[in-house]
Amino acid sequence: MNTTGKIFTLTTFGESHGKAIGGVVDGMPAGIDIDLDFIQQELNRRRPGQSSITTARNEADQVELLSGIFEGKSTGCPIGFIVRNQNQHSADYDNMRELFRPSHADYTYTLKYGLRDHRGGGRSSARITISRCVAGALAKLALKQLGIHITAYTSQVGNIVLDADYRHYDLTKTESNDVRCPDLQKAAQMIALIKQVKSEGDTIGGVITCVIKGCPAGLGEPEFGKLHAQLGAAMLSINAVKGFEYGDGFQAATQRGSKQNDIFMPNADAKSVGTQQPPITTLTNHSGGIQGGISNGQDIYFRVAFKPVATLLQQQETVDIHGEKTTLTARGRHDPCVLPRAVPIVEAMAAITILDAYLVYKSGKKDDFEF
C-alpha cells in the first residue's frame, strides 16, 4: 500500500538514507498552472534544519519534476519527481543495527519482512513524507482554482494549549514563528518548552488543527467512503499520529443533542451577486463541515494528535535481535517535537484527500470539470 487515492493518486518510494525520496502523481487534471516556487516553498516548510527546535540534519530538499508538465501547466499525464538525499549520517545508526528502538517500527518491520533498514528507520522514517508534501502542493494548486484553501497550525505542545477555536485566531500569523502557532504568546511558551525538552534529551508531542475553507457541498461517498473517514485515514497514515477528531470531536460526547445540532437557516449570502453559495446554511458548525459523511459547504476542521518522537537522546532499556536485554543511547540528529514540521504534512494530506474526493464527486456528474 504505497499508493493512496482513487482518481488523484500518489505512489511513493525511497528510504531515509537511500539515494532519493520520490513519487508519481497520477490523475492530476490537465491545464493547472504549476508554480515551481510554491512547490519548493511547501517542501521548505517541512525540511529539516530550519530552526533551533527541529533536527539539525541539513538537507536542501530540492525537488526535481521529471514529467507531466509542459510550458508551466500540467498535461494530465503522470507527474514523476525525486528529492535527493545529500546529508545522511548513516554511521550514527551503527549501534542500532542489532537493537530494537522502543516504540519504533524496528521490531514490527523485522517481524513482517525478516529484515529492516536500520539507517534512520529506512522506509518507516518521517523523511518519506517529502513525497506527500510534493503531491500536496500539486493538489493545492488545483484546489486554488476551485477556491478551496487549507491551513493547519500547531494548537498544542505538551500541556500548552490554545484555548479558543480557529475562528478566534489570525491564521496568517501561523508562519511568523518557528512552532507555527497563530497565538504569538502561546507560541513563545511552546518554543521554550520544546527547547527545555531538547536540552534534557527528551521529546514531546502535541496537536495540529487544520481548517479547510471553500469546500463545496457533496464531497464524500457513503457507505465506506465518508469524507471524515477518508480524512481520518489520511491523517492516521502520517508518522507519529495517534489520534484524529473532526468538528467537536470527543467533546460532543459530553453534550446533549439540543446543544449539539447544527440548525439550518436561509443563507443570506447566497443572494449576493456573483456568489455560488447554497441557499441553505447552518447557525453553528459543531459537525465540522461534514454530515452523514458528506461535506455540507461549511468550514471543515479537525485535529490531529502526535505522540512524542520515539528517538530519545537518553539511555533506554530494550532488547537486541536475539531477545537479550540491553540498553540503547541513540545518536544522530532528531526532532525534539515533530509538530512544527508536521504542519505542512497535515495540509498536504488534507489537500490530496479533498482533491481526490472532488474528482470522484465530479466523475458522477454530467457537467464538465470546473478547472
Side-chain angles (χ1 to χ4, degrees):
M1 295 299 293
N2 296 297
T3 300
T4 185
K6 296 179 181 177
I7 295 180
F8 182 86
T9 66
L10 166 66
T11 300
T12 74
F13 64 84
E15 296 84 30
S16 178
H17 287 224
K19 291 185 177 180
I21 306 294
V24 177
V25 169
D26 205 356
M28 180 73 171
I32 303 298
D33 292 327
I34 303 299
D35 185 340
L36 296 179
D37 290 337
F38 174 75
I39 296 172
Q40 186 59 53
Q41 176 185 329
E42 292 296 278
L43 278 180
N44 292 344
R45 296 172 66 211
R46 194 224 70 94
R47 69 179 290 271
Q50 60 184 271
S51 76
S52 61
I53 58 172
T54 63
T55 172
R57 180 170 176 170
N58 186 19
E59 293 278 6
D61 284 356
Q62 192 73 36
V63 64
E64 301 175 43
L65 301 179
L66 306 177
S67 61
I69 299 169
F70 180 67
E71 295 183 343
K73 292 184 180 293
S74 58
T75 64
C77 299
I79 299 176
F81 62 88
I82 60 170
V83 173
R84 300 183 188 275
N85 293 325
Q86 298 176 326
N87 191 233
Q88 309 98 310
H89 287 182
S90 298
D92 288 342
Y93 296 88
D94 284 349
N95 67 323
M96 305 179 192
R97 181 184 290 271
E98 294 191 347
L99 301 181
F100 293 129
R101 295 171 296 173
S103 288
H104 267 283
D106 299 347
Y107 180 61
T108 51
Y109 265 58
T110 302
L111 284 179
K112 182 175 179 65
Y113 299 109
L115 73 166
R116 78 176 199 271
D117 183 349
H118 68 283
R119 305 164 303 165
R123 183 67 175 160
S124 68
S125 169
R127 183 152 180 77
I128 65 170
T129 58
I130 286 174
S131 299
R132 300 174 184 227
C133 286
V134 175
L138 291 167
K140 281 186 176 183
L141 291 172
L143 293 174
K144 181 180 179 181
Q145 296 190 205
L146 298 170
I148 301 173
H149 301 280
I150 300 171
T151 304
Y153 61 92
T154 300
S155 55
Q156 179 176 348
V157 172
N159 59 359
I160 302 172
V161 185
L162 269 60
D163 300 321
D165 67 35
Y166 70 93
R167 294 169 296 180
H168 292 81
Y169 300 101
D170 180 358
L171 300 188
T172 64
K173 294 181 179 179
T174 298
E175 294 294 319
S176 67
N177 55 81
D178 291 341
V179 78
R180 294 194 164 92
C181 172
D183 183 319
L184 301 187
Q185 182 176 0
K186 288 291 181 70
Q189 296 175 17
M190 292 175 178
I191 291 170
L193 176 58
I194 294 172
K195 287 183 176 180
Q196 176 191 338
V197 168
K198 180 180 179 181
S199 70
E200 297 169 354
D202 214 335
T203 62
I204 196 163
V207 175
I208 289 175
T209 297
C210 186
V211 184
I212 305 172
K213 289 183 172 290
C215 187
L219 274 58
E221 303 296 320
E223 162 76 356
F224 299 108
K226 292 181 171 66
L227 186 59
H228 58 270
Q230 294 181 53
L231 286 168
M235 297 305 140
L236 289 165
S237 74
I238 299 173
N239 307 56
V241 168
K242 286 294 187 180
F244 170 84
E245 62 174 354
Y246 74 102
D248 280 0
F250 284 95
Q251 183 182 354
T254 66
Q255 299 178 357
R256 299 189 180 190
S258 57
K259 301 294 184 182
Q260 181 67 202
N261 284 350
D262 294 320
I263 304 301
F264 291 112
M265 58 185 293
N267 186 0
D269 294 333
K271 298 180 180 179
S272 302
V273 177
T275 66
Q276 297 182 352
Q277 297 192 29
I280 297 174
T281 186
T282 56
L283 182 63
T284 54
N285 188 21
H286 300 294
S287 302
I290 303 172
Q291 293 173 324
I294 301 172
S295 61
N296 65 2
Q298 302 297 311
D299 291 349
I300 296 172
Y301 62 95
F302 57 85
R303 289 162 296 281
V304 187
F306 286 79
K307 71 172 184 176
V309 176
T311 300
L312 311 182
L313 299 183
Q314 296 181 359
Q315 188 178 85
Q316 296 184 85
E317 293 184 357
T318 187
V319 298
D320 61 21
I321 59 176
H322 308 292
E324 299 296 327
K325 287 185 176 181
T326 185
T327 59
L328 166 68
T329 301
R331 299 193 297 266
R333 301 158 297 177
H334 307 281
D335 287 285
C337 178
V338 74
L339 275 295
R341 296 175 59 213
V343 166
I345 302 169
V346 168
E347 290 182 3
M349 291 308 297
I352 290 169
T353 302
I354 294 298
L355 179 57
D356 189 45
Y358 180 84
L359 293 172
V360 170
Y361 167 72
K362 295 298 288 187
S363 70
K365 300 292 182 180
K366 294 181 180 179
D367 53 337
D368 295 330
F369 288 85
E370 297 174 351
F371 284 101

